[in-house]
């Protein structure tokens, strides 16, 4: 995203905030169901345009706002109507731009209920950090939700939002400016490969499903989608300072009484950490995914939270 486009998108965000815009993003299945209700074929307000990703006519929107959207490059033709290519979601007191529904592109920037669970659980764990980190990183930051929450809670900290997706990083920059934060920077990195030094805090909400198309924002690799999460645990422990914290929110495919993800990372946690805890936040998410290839033996997908403190 070039600077003029970024400045225009920032102006769009400020316009939305000035008009008391708020939207909580739901699951794709709920989004699809709500949009199919009679009367929801077209956007009737700002939430319809920027939240529900519904098409709209130029006459349906303030001319100033439409001009800013065109300048930002976030308007596309949808038959005889127009459609925003971005959504804006409420995260606490912040507004976060991310990809429009449906998220089908390889470089889509995802935001949804998982994001809320991730950030909410992380914020409840902040008391463990006492005065807070000096240097923190959100691995696979997407639009920057986790990094934004850290930067807002600990204004003295140097916070990095790291992602391999340059589109995500561009949105992280805009979302950071929109939140009025000056202690967060975006960095292109494949996990830790593009990062230097070590950290007091590493957080991550990585992709964790098996995706036949291997879309980067969804596909977690082998181990029924857990491979990427295992890599993040192992590499994070190698880059954490003594007493540093790892906070990971992910999904785990459970195929019986054994949690394969937990067993894969347990040896590293036990040998490298003074304290670690692991819990299921939700025992059954994305049930529709169980009908996809690779999940034939899977009983459920659990949302899990890992918090580890480096020895």
């Amino acid at each position: 995203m070039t600077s003029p486009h970024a400045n225009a998108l920032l102006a769009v965000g400020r316009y939305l905030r000035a008009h008391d815009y708020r939207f909580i993003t739901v699951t794709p299945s709920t989004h699809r169901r709500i949009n199919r209700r009679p009367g929801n074929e077209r956007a009737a307000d700002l939430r319809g345009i920027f939240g529900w990703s519904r098409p709209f006519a130029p006459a349906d929107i303030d001319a100033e706002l439409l001009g800013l959207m065109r300048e930002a490059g976030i308007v596309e033709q949808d038959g005889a109507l127009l459609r925003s290519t971005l959504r804006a979601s409420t995260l606490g007191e912040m507004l976060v731009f991310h990809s429009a529904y449906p998220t089908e592109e390889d470089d889509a920037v995802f935001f949804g209920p998982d994001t809320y669970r991730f950030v909410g659980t992380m914020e409840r764990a902040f008391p463990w950090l006492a005065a807070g980190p000096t240097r923190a990183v959100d691995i696979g930051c997407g639009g920057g939700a986790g990094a934004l929450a850290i930067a807002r809670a600990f204004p003295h900290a140097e916070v990095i939002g790291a992602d391999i997706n340059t589109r995500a990083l561009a949105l992280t920059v805009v979302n950071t400016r929109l939140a009025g934060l000056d202690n967060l920077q975006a960095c292109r990195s494949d996990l830790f490969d593009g990062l230097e030094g070590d950290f007091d805090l590493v957080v991550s909400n990585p992709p964790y499903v098996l995706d036949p198309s291997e879309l980067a924002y969804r596909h977690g690799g082998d181990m029924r989608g857990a491979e990427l999460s295992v890599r993040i645990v192992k590499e994070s422990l190698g880059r954490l300072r003594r007493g540093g914290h790892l906070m990971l929110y992910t999904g785990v495919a459970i195929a019986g009484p054994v949690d394969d993800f937990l067993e894969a990372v347990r040896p590293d946690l036990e040998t490298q950490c003074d304290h670690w805890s692991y819990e299921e936040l939700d025992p059954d998410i994305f049930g529709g995914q169980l009908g996809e290839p690779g999940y034939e033996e899977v009983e459920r997908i659990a949302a899990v939270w890992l918090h580890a403190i480096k020895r």
Side-chain angles (χ1 to χ4, degrees):
M1 183 176 292
T2 62
S3 183
H5 287 175
N7 290 336
L9 183 57
L10 180 62
V12 171
R14 288 172 174 164
Y15 181 101
L16 294 178
R17 288 176 58 178
H19 288 76
D20 299 321
Y21 173 92
R22 295 186 68 82
F23 186 82
I24 300 297
T25 297
V26 296
T27 63
S29 60
T30 296
H31 195 128
R32 181 169 56 251
R33 185 175 296 111
I34 300 302
N35 272 1
R36 286 176 176 174
R37 288 177 178 173
N40 288 346
E41 296 83 5
R42 277 176 57 168
D45 54 18
L46 292 175
R47 295 178 77 250
I49 295 171
F50 291 99
W52 293 110
S53 296
R54 295 169 187 160
F56 63 95
D60 296 334
I61 189 172
D62 181 80
E64 175 193 357
L65 178 57
L66 181 57
L68 290 172
M69 292 174 67
R70 292 188 188 278
E71 187 178 347
I74 64 167
V75 181
E76 67 179 9
Q77 204 71 32
D78 188 344
L81 300 175
L82 303 174
R83 198 172 84 99
S84 172
T85 60
L86 291 181
R87 279 181 286 180
S89 291
T90 304
L91 181 66
E93 296 303 313
M94 296 183 288
L95 202 61
V96 179
F97 283 112
H98 55 100
S99 293
Y101 170 88
T103 49
E104 297 175 332
E105 302 88 357
D106 188 54
D107 62 349
V109 182
F110 183 79
F111 185 109
D114 264 345
T115 312
Y116 292 112
R117 282 189 287 260
F118 165 51
V119 172
T121 308
M122 180 178 65
E123 290 179 333
R124 289 190 292 274
F126 279 169
W128 281 84
L129 304 177
T134 301
R135 192 164 189 255
V137 62
D138 180 0
I139 296 293
C141 66
L148 287 165
I150 298 168
R152 186 180 176 91
F154 304 106
H156 65 278
E158 174 195 352
V159 183
I160 298 172
D163 206 298
I164 198 170
N165 182 352
T166 55
R167 186 180 181 190
L169 296 175
L171 290 180
T172 294
V173 171
V174 171
N175 292 331
T176 299
R177 294 175 62 190
L178 185 58
L181 299 170
D182 60 7
N183 60 328
L184 196 167
Q185 66 179 93
C187 179
R188 189 174 190 276
S189 181
D190 182 359
L191 300 191
F192 290 89
D193 287 353
L195 303 175
E196 296 182 356
D198 49 17
F199 300 90
D200 304 296
L201 174 63
V202 178
V203 304
S204 188
N205 172 23
Y208 56 76
V209 300
L210 285 174
D211 182 57
S213 301
E214 297 192 5
L215 294 176
Y217 79 94
R218 298 189 77 237
H219 189 58
D222 293 336
M223 294 182 61
R224 300 189 179 96
E227 178 187 18
L228 182 58
S229 297
V230 171
R231 281 186 58 200
I232 289 172
V233 172
K234 292 178 178 292
E235 293 189 25
S236 296
L237 292 177
R239 299 293 286 273
L240 277 174
R241 297 167 180 167
R242 183 177 180 180
H245 294 249
L246 165 64
M247 299 180 183
L248 174 76
Y249 171 95
T250 191
V252 177
I254 307 293
V258 177
D259 181 332
D260 292 333
F261 166 72
L262 176 58
E263 296 312 308
V265 298
R266 185 191 297 274
D268 296 278
L269 296 171
E270 291 184 343
T271 58
Q272 298 186 56
C273 297
D274 280 330
H275 168 87
W276 63 274
S277 61
Y278 181 83
E279 63 176 314
E280 290 191 9
L281 301 179
D282 191 323
D284 183 15
I285 60 172
F286 292 116
Q289 193 70 28
L290 301 184
E292 299 297 320
Y295 288 93
E296 292 82 3
E297 305 300 322
V298 173
E299 298 174 356
R300 58 191 178 92
I301 300 174
V304 303
W305 176 255
L306 171 65
H307 182 184
I309 303 175
K310 181 71 177 292
R311 178 175 300 143

